[in-house]
Amino acid sequence: MDAFTSFFDSQSRSNWSYDTLKNFRQISPVVQAHLKQVYLTLCCALIASAVGAYLHILWNIGGYLTTFACLGTIFWLLSTPPYEEQKRVSLLMASAAFEGASVGPLIDLAIQIDPSVLVAAFVGTALAFACFSGAAMLARRREFLYLGGLLSSGVSMLLWLHFASSIFGGSTALFMFEIYLGLLVFVGYMIVDTQEIIERAHLGDLDYVKHALTLFTDFVAIFVRILVIMLKNSTEKSEKKKNKRRD
């Protein structure tokens, strides 16, 4: 927790101005061009994911099968040589579509409860992604890479909590604790992964497909958790209104 506090403290102590926002001198032109390609590929992957979610709403295809298909295409992508660029991009779009179909049941539920929640969750995720990624770009190189060990511990804690709740049974409070902890962990990963992509690009690793996949997984993980939180708040508000009408 101290690490995240130091992140915000360091940003607040910086001399933020319009000139600061334009200062990308620490990022070389080659890396800047690479980042543009990464984020363009990420946008295409998000569109493919939206198509997958829409296909689930039409034909109810989301489930374990699409989840395993998503994992399979990701492993296939990672095992494909970088020079087969077109094939790797196609695999990324396919894995994004399968991921969208896997998240489709949650999106369908959100549409049934309150469609505005779905829009608000996506906008909130996009704003958080832009803000934290921008902060990672403007920060000193390798400044937040040390958070990787802390975040790995957070993921390990999430896995143990999920394992314990599946065996001994879980409560709503434990589930929401997992959701909020997961949200905090993946927001941290968003910062760390952005800086790691920049650092790898400086060292000559310009694999934009793999880097876009990394950011895509962060985006989806954050979006799902924000959507669950907002859906829970929406259902609680509707239940309170119903109780008031009965009284």
mmCIF file of all heavy atoms in Angstrom, residues 56-57 103-122 223-224 226-232 234-235:
data_model
loop_
_atom_site.group_PDB
_atom_site.id
_atom_site.type_symbol
_atom_site.label_atom_id
_atom_site.label_comp_id
_atom_site.label_asym_id
_atom_site.label_seq_id
_atom_site.Cartn_x
_atom_site.Cartn_y
_atom_site.Cartn_z
ATOM 1 N N HIS A 56 -22.240 -13.056 -28.489
ATOM 2 C CA HIS A 56 -22.818 -13.800 -27.371
ATOM 3 C C HIS A 56 -24.263 -13.374 -27.123
ATOM 4 O O HIS A 56 -25.136 -14.221 -26.853
ATOM 5 C CB HIS A 56 -22.010 -13.587 -26.098
ATOM 6 C CG HIS A 56 -22.726 -14.071 -24.871
ATOM 7 N ND1 HIS A 56 -22.793 -15.408 -24.528
ATOM 8 C CD2 HIS A 56 -23.451 -13.400 -23.917
ATOM 9 C CE1 HIS A 56 -23.504 -15.537 -23.424
ATOM 10 N NE2 HIS A 56 -23.919 -14.339 -23.045
ATOM 11 N N ILE A 57 -24.514 -12.075 -27.193
ATOM 12 C CA ILE A 57 -25.879 -11.587 -26.968
ATOM 13 C C ILE A 57 -26.826 -12.143 -28.029
ATOM 14 O O ILE A 57 -27.989 -12.475 -27.742
ATOM 15 C CB ILE A 57 -25.885 -10.049 -26.965
ATOM 16 C CG1 ILE A 57 -25.091 -9.527 -25.758
ATOM 17 C CG2 ILE A 57 -27.309 -9.501 -26.921
ATOM 18 C CD1 ILE A 57 -24.890 -8.034 -25.754
ATOM 19 N N VAL A 103 -16.838 -12.715 -21.648
ATOM 20 C CA VAL A 103 -17.373 -11.682 -20.757
ATOM 21 C C VAL A 103 -18.822 -11.351 -21.118
ATOM 22 O O VAL A 103 -19.513 -10.647 -20.374
ATOM 23 C CB VAL A 103 -16.475 -10.417 -20.824
ATOM 24 C CG1 VAL A 103 -16.963 -9.328 -19.874
ATOM 25 C CG2 VAL A 103 -15.032 -10.768 -20.489
ATOM 26 N N GLY A 104 -19.293 -11.896 -22.250
ATOM 27 C CA GLY A 104 -20.636 -11.597 -22.743
ATOM 28 C C GLY A 104 -21.752 -11.809 -21.740
ATOM 29 O O GLY A 104 -22.667 -10.969 -21.650
ATOM 30 N N PRO A 105 -21.764 -12.903 -20.955
ATOM 31 C CA PRO A 105 -22.845 -13.078 -19.974
ATOM 32 C C PRO A 105 -22.946 -11.936 -18.966
ATOM 33 O O PRO A 105 -24.052 -11.521 -18.602
ATOM 34 C CB PRO A 105 -22.456 -14.397 -19.277
ATOM 35 C CG PRO A 105 -21.686 -15.150 -20.298
ATOM 36 C CD PRO A 105 -20.925 -14.109 -21.061
ATOM 37 N N LEU A 106 -21.808 -11.416 -18.528
ATOM 38 C CA LEU A 106 -21.826 -10.287 -17.598
ATOM 39 C C LEU A 106 -22.356 -9.038 -18.288
ATOM 40 O O LEU A 106 -23.138 -8.272 -17.701
ATOM 41 C CB LEU A 106 -20.418 -10.035 -17.063
ATOM 42 C CG LEU A 106 -20.251 -8.852 -16.102
ATOM 43 C CD1 LEU A 106 -21.068 -9.063 -14.834
ATOM 44 C CD2 LEU A 106 -18.775 -8.645 -15.746
ATOM 45 N N ILE A 107 -21.950 -8.830 -19.537
ATOM 46 C CA ILE A 107 -22.434 -7.667 -20.286
ATOM 47 C C ILE A 107 -23.934 -7.784 -20.547
ATOM 48 O O ILE A 107 -24.683 -6.798 -20.449
ATOM 49 C CB ILE A 107 -21.648 -7.533 -21.607
ATOM 50 C CG1 ILE A 107 -20.187 -7.182 -21.312
ATOM 51 C CG2 ILE A 107 -22.271 -6.480 -22.520
ATOM 52 C CD1 ILE A 107 -19.301 -7.113 -22.530
ATOM 53 N N ASP A 108 -24.389 -8.985 -20.866
ATOM 54 C CA ASP A 108 -25.824 -9.209 -21.084
ATOM 55 C C ASP A 108 -26.615 -8.915 -19.816
ATOM 56 O O ASP A 108 -27.702 -8.313 -19.859
ATOM 57 C CB ASP A 108 -26.037 -10.652 -21.538
ATOM 58 C CG ASP A 108 -27.432 -10.887 -22.073
ATOM 59 O OD1 ASP A 108 -28.133 -9.900 -22.373
ATOM 60 O OD2 ASP A 108 -27.831 -12.053 -22.195
ATOM 61 N N LEU A 109 -26.076 -9.332 -18.675
ATOM 62 C CA LEU A 109 -26.727 -9.048 -17.392
ATOM 63 C C LEU A 109 -26.802 -7.545 -17.142
ATOM 64 O O LEU A 109 -27.827 -7.028 -16.672
ATOM 65 C CB LEU A 109 -25.968 -9.734 -16.263
ATOM 66 C CG LEU A 109 -26.483 -9.492 -14.839
ATOM 67 C CD1 LEU A 109 -27.886 -10.059 -14.675
ATOM 68 C CD2 LEU A 109 -25.532 -10.108 -13.820
ATOM 69 N N ALA A 110 -25.718 -6.834 -17.462
ATOM 70 C CA ALA A 110 -25.698 -5.382 -17.268
ATOM 71 C C ALA A 110 -26.734 -4.691 -18.150
ATOM 72 O O ALA A 110 -27.398 -3.739 -17.726
ATOM 73 C CB ALA A 110 -24.305 -4.839 -17.568
ATOM 74 N N ILE A 111 -26.897 -5.181 -19.376
ATOM 75 C CA ILE A 111 -27.892 -4.594 -20.277
ATOM 76 C C ILE A 111 -29.301 -4.815 -19.734
ATOM 77 O O ILE A 111 -30.164 -3.930 -19.823
ATOM 78 C CB ILE A 111 -27.743 -5.199 -21.694
ATOM 79 C CG1 ILE A 111 -26.416 -4.748 -22.309
ATOM 80 C CG2 ILE A 111 -28.904 -4.789 -22.590
ATOM 81 C CD1 ILE A 111 -26.107 -5.409 -23.640
ATOM 82 N N GLN A 112 -29.547 -5.970 -19.151
ATOM 83 C CA GLN A 112 -30.871 -6.262 -18.593
ATOM 84 C C GLN A 112 -31.164 -5.423 -17.355
ATOM 85 O O GLN A 112 -32.296 -4.992 -17.146
ATOM 86 C CB GLN A 112 -30.971 -7.745 -18.252
ATOM 87 C CG GLN A 112 -30.924 -8.668 -19.455
ATOM 88 C CD GLN A 112 -30.952 -10.133 -19.077
ATOM 89 O OE1 GLN A 112 -31.251 -10.480 -17.931
ATOM 90 N NE2 GLN A 112 -30.628 -11.008 -20.019
ATOM 91 N N ILE A 113 -30.144 -5.193 -16.525
ATOM 92 C CA ILE A 113 -30.350 -4.428 -15.283
ATOM 93 C C ILE A 113 -30.401 -2.935 -15.570
ATOM 94 O O ILE A 113 -31.377 -2.251 -15.233
ATOM 95 C CB ILE A 113 -29.243 -4.751 -14.269
ATOM 96 C CG1 ILE A 113 -29.342 -6.215 -13.828
ATOM 97 C CG2 ILE A 113 -29.335 -3.832 -13.052
ATOM 98 C CD1 ILE A 113 -28.230 -6.658 -12.908
ATOM 99 N N ASP A 114 -29.352 -2.415 -16.186
ATOM 100 C CA ASP A 114 -29.278 -0.982 -16.475
ATOM 101 C C ASP A 114 -28.200 -0.759 -17.541
ATOM 102 O O ASP A 114 -27.004 -0.824 -17.234
ATOM 103 C CB ASP A 114 -28.939 -0.195 -15.209
ATOM 104 C CG ASP A 114 -29.009 1.310 -15.423
ATOM 105 O OD1 ASP A 114 -29.321 1.733 -16.555
ATOM 106 O OD2 ASP A 114 -28.745 2.057 -14.462
ATOM 107 N N PRO A 115 -28.572 -0.496 -18.797
ATOM 108 C CA PRO A 115 -27.581 -0.319 -19.857
ATOM 109 C C PRO A 115 -26.616 0.844 -19.610
ATOM 110 O O PRO A 115 -25.478 0.807 -20.073
ATOM 111 C CB PRO A 115 -28.442 -0.058 -21.107
ATOM 112 C CG PRO A 115 -29.767 -0.648 -20.782
ATOM 113 C CD PRO A 115 -29.943 -0.462 -19.314
ATOM 114 N N SER A 116 -27.067 1.856 -18.879
ATOM 115 C CA SER A 116 -26.190 3.004 -18.616
ATOM 116 C C SER A 116 -24.987 2.611 -17.762
ATOM 117 O O SER A 116 -23.923 3.229 -17.848
ATOM 118 C CB SER A 116 -26.974 4.117 -17.925
ATOM 119 O OG SER A 116 -27.436 3.696 -16.649
ATOM 120 N N VAL A 117 -25.147 1.563 -16.934
ATOM 121 C CA VAL A 117 -24.036 1.088 -16.116
ATOM 122 C C VAL A 117 -22.910 0.560 -17.005
ATOM 123 O O VAL A 117 -21.728 0.775 -16.733
ATOM 124 C CB VAL A 117 -24.514 -0.001 -15.135
ATOM 125 C CG1 VAL A 117 -23.338 -0.658 -14.437
ATOM 126 C CG2 VAL A 117 -25.456 0.597 -14.106
ATOM 127 N N LEU A 118 -23.284 -0.127 -18.080
ATOM 128 C CA LEU A 118 -22.289 -0.678 -19.006
ATOM 129 C C LEU A 118 -21.480 0.435 -19.656
ATOM 130 O O LEU A 118 -20.246 0.361 -19.744
ATOM 131 C CB LEU A 118 -22.999 -1.521 -20.070
ATOM 132 C CG LEU A 118 -22.117 -2.167 -21.125
ATOM 133 C CD1 LEU A 118 -21.157 -3.153 -20.493
ATOM 134 C CD2 LEU A 118 -22.971 -2.865 -22.180
ATOM 135 N N VAL A 119 -22.174 1.473 -20.088
ATOM 136 C CA VAL A 119 -21.480 2.607 -20.714
ATOM 137 C C VAL A 119 -20.583 3.315 -19.706
ATOM 138 O O VAL A 119 -19.426 3.658 -19.998
ATOM 139 C CB VAL A 119 -22.503 3.594 -21.309
ATOM 140 C CG1 VAL A 119 -21.802 4.807 -21.903
ATOM 141 C CG2 VAL A 119 -23.356 2.909 -22.367
ATOM 142 N N ALA A 120 -21.103 3.519 -18.505
ATOM 143 C CA ALA A 120 -20.323 4.207 -17.474
ATOM 144 C C ALA A 120 -19.082 3.397 -17.095
ATOM 145 O O ALA A 120 -17.999 3.966 -16.876
ATOM 146 C CB ALA A 120 -21.188 4.454 -16.239
ATOM 147 N N ALA A 121 -19.222 2.067 -17.026
ATOM 148 C CA ALA A 121 -18.076 1.224 -16.678
ATOM 149 C C ALA A 121 -17.006 1.289 -17.750
ATOM 150 O O ALA A 121 -15.801 1.361 -17.447
ATOM 151 C CB ALA A 121 -18.539 -0.220 -16.478
ATOM 152 N N PHE A 122 -17.411 1.276 -19.017
ATOM 153 C CA PHE A 122 -16.424 1.343 -20.104
ATOM 154 C C PHE A 122 -15.734 2.699 -20.131
ATOM 155 O O PHE A 122 -14.510 2.780 -20.278
ATOM 156 C CB PHE A 122 -17.094 1.070 -21.454
ATOM 157 C CG PHE A 122 -16.139 1.116 -22.605
ATOM 158 C CD1 PHE A 122 -15.350 0.014 -22.896
ATOM 159 C CD2 PHE A 122 -16.018 2.252 -23.394
ATOM 160 C CE1 PHE A 122 -14.449 0.045 -23.949
ATOM 161 C CE2 PHE A 122 -15.126 2.299 -24.443
ATOM 162 C CZ PHE A 122 -14.341 1.188 -24.732
ATOM 163 N N PHE A 223 -12.013 -3.475 -16.493
ATOM 164 C CA PHE A 223 -13.389 -3.235 -16.930
ATOM 165 C C PHE A 223 -14.374 -4.175 -16.234
ATOM 166 O O PHE A 223 -15.431 -3.748 -15.756
ATOM 167 C CB PHE A 223 -13.488 -3.403 -18.447
ATOM 168 C CG PHE A 223 -14.887 -3.450 -18.972
ATOM 169 C CD1 PHE A 223 -15.669 -2.301 -19.000
ATOM 170 C CD2 PHE A 223 -15.445 -4.641 -19.423
ATOM 171 C CE1 PHE A 223 -16.977 -2.338 -19.479
ATOM 172 C CE2 PHE A 223 -16.733 -4.688 -19.891
ATOM 173 C CZ PHE A 223 -17.510 -3.537 -19.924
ATOM 174 N N VAL A 224 -14.033 -5.461 -16.166
ATOM 175 C CA VAL A 224 -14.922 -6.443 -15.535
ATOM 176 C C VAL A 224 -15.158 -6.094 -14.072
ATOM 177 O O VAL A 224 -16.299 -6.145 -13.573
ATOM 178 C CB VAL A 224 -14.329 -7.860 -15.678
ATOM 179 C CG1 VAL A 224 -15.063 -8.841 -14.768
ATOM 180 C CG2 VAL A 224 -14.409 -8.326 -17.119
ATOM 181 N N ILE A 226 -14.784 -3.118 -12.515
ATOM 182 C CA ILE A 226 -15.570 -1.884 -12.388
ATOM 183 C C ILE A 226 -17.035 -2.146 -12.688
ATOM 184 O O ILE A 226 -17.938 -1.639 -12.006
ATOM 185 C CB ILE A 226 -15.001 -0.792 -13.321
ATOM 186 C CG1 ILE A 226 -13.637 -0.311 -12.810
ATOM 187 C CG2 ILE A 226 -15.962 0.387 -13.421
ATOM 188 C CD1 ILE A 226 -12.996 0.741 -13.679
ATOM 189 N N LEU A 227 -17.297 -2.972 -13.708
ATOM 190 C CA LEU A 227 -18.680 -3.288 -14.065
ATOM 191 C C LEU A 227 -19.382 -4.049 -12.941
ATOM 192 O O LEU A 227 -20.542 -3.764 -12.621
ATOM 193 C CB LEU A 227 -18.699 -4.110 -15.357
ATOM 194 C CG LEU A 227 -20.076 -4.482 -15.914
ATOM 195 C CD1 LEU A 227 -20.913 -3.226 -16.158
ATOM 196 C CD2 LEU A 227 -19.935 -5.290 -17.194
ATOM 197 N N VAL A 228 -18.687 -5.003 -12.313
ATOM 198 C CA VAL A 228 -19.290 -5.750 -11.199
ATOM 199 C C VAL A 228 -19.605 -4.819 -10.036
ATOM 200 O O VAL A 228 -20.695 -4.902 -9.430
ATOM 201 C CB VAL A 228 -18.331 -6.875 -10.745
ATOM 202 C CG1 VAL A 228 -18.807 -7.484 -9.431
ATOM 203 C CG2 VAL A 228 -18.233 -7.948 -11.810
ATOM 204 N N ILE A 229 -18.688 -3.927 -9.720
ATOM 205 C CA ILE A 229 -18.913 -2.979 -8.621
ATOM 206 C C ILE A 229 -20.120 -2.082 -8.909
ATOM 207 O O ILE A 229 -20.987 -1.866 -8.053
ATOM 208 C CB ILE A 229 -17.648 -2.133 -8.382
ATOM 209 C CG1 ILE A 229 -16.522 -3.022 -7.830
ATOM 210 C CG2 ILE A 229 -17.932 -0.993 -7.402
ATOM 211 C CD1 ILE A 229 -15.177 -2.342 -7.779
ATOM 212 N N MET A 230 -20.195 -1.571 -10.139
ATOM 213 C CA MET A 230 -21.294 -0.674 -10.487
ATOM 214 C C MET A 230 -22.625 -1.423 -10.548
ATOM 215 O O MET A 230 -23.672 -0.875 -10.180
ATOM 216 C CB MET A 230 -20.996 0.004 -11.819
ATOM 217 C CG MET A 230 -19.779 0.925 -11.776
ATOM 218 S SD MET A 230 -19.537 1.871 -13.289
ATOM 219 C CE MET A 230 -20.888 3.031 -13.184
ATOM 220 N N LEU A 231 -22.602 -2.669 -11.001
ATOM 221 C CA LEU A 231 -23.839 -3.451 -11.021
ATOM 222 C C LEU A 231 -24.343 -3.719 -9.613
ATOM 223 O O LEU A 231 -25.556 -3.652 -9.353
ATOM 224 C CB LEU A 231 -23.600 -4.779 -11.751
ATOM 225 C CG LEU A 231 -23.603 -4.741 -13.270
ATOM 226 C CD1 LEU A 231 -23.231 -6.100 -13.841
ATOM 227 C CD2 LEU A 231 -24.960 -4.294 -13.791
ATOM 228 N N LYS A 232 -23.430 -4.020 -8.703
ATOM 229 C CA LYS A 232 -23.834 -4.259 -7.318
ATOM 230 C C LYS A 232 -24.444 -2.996 -6.708
ATOM 231 O O LYS A 232 -25.477 -3.059 -6.037
ATOM 232 C CB LYS A 232 -22.639 -4.702 -6.479
ATOM 233 C CG LYS A 232 -22.992 -5.089 -5.045
ATOM 234 C CD LYS A 232 -21.786 -5.606 -4.311
ATOM 235 C CE LYS A 232 -22.180 -6.059 -2.884
ATOM 236 N NZ LYS A 232 -22.744 -4.953 -2.097
ATOM 237 N N SER A 234 -25.872 -0.589 -8.347
ATOM 238 C CA SER A 234 -27.144 -0.322 -9.022
ATOM 239 C C SER A 234 -28.261 -1.197 -8.470
ATOM 240 O O SER A 234 -29.384 -0.729 -8.233
ATOM 241 C CB SER A 234 -26.987 -0.549 -10.530
ATOM 242 O OG SER A 234 -28.199 -0.332 -11.200
ATOM 243 N N THR A 235 -27.971 -2.490 -8.252
ATOM 244 C CA THR A 235 -28.994 -3.395 -7.710
ATOM 245 C C THR A 235 -29.369 -3.024 -6.280
ATOM 246 O O THR A 235 -30.539 -3.120 -5.895
ATOM 247 C CB THR A 235 -28.498 -4.847 -7.758
ATOM 248 O OG1 THR A 235 -27.210 -4.940 -7.119
ATOM 249 C CG2 THR A 235 -28.378 -5.325 -9.189
#
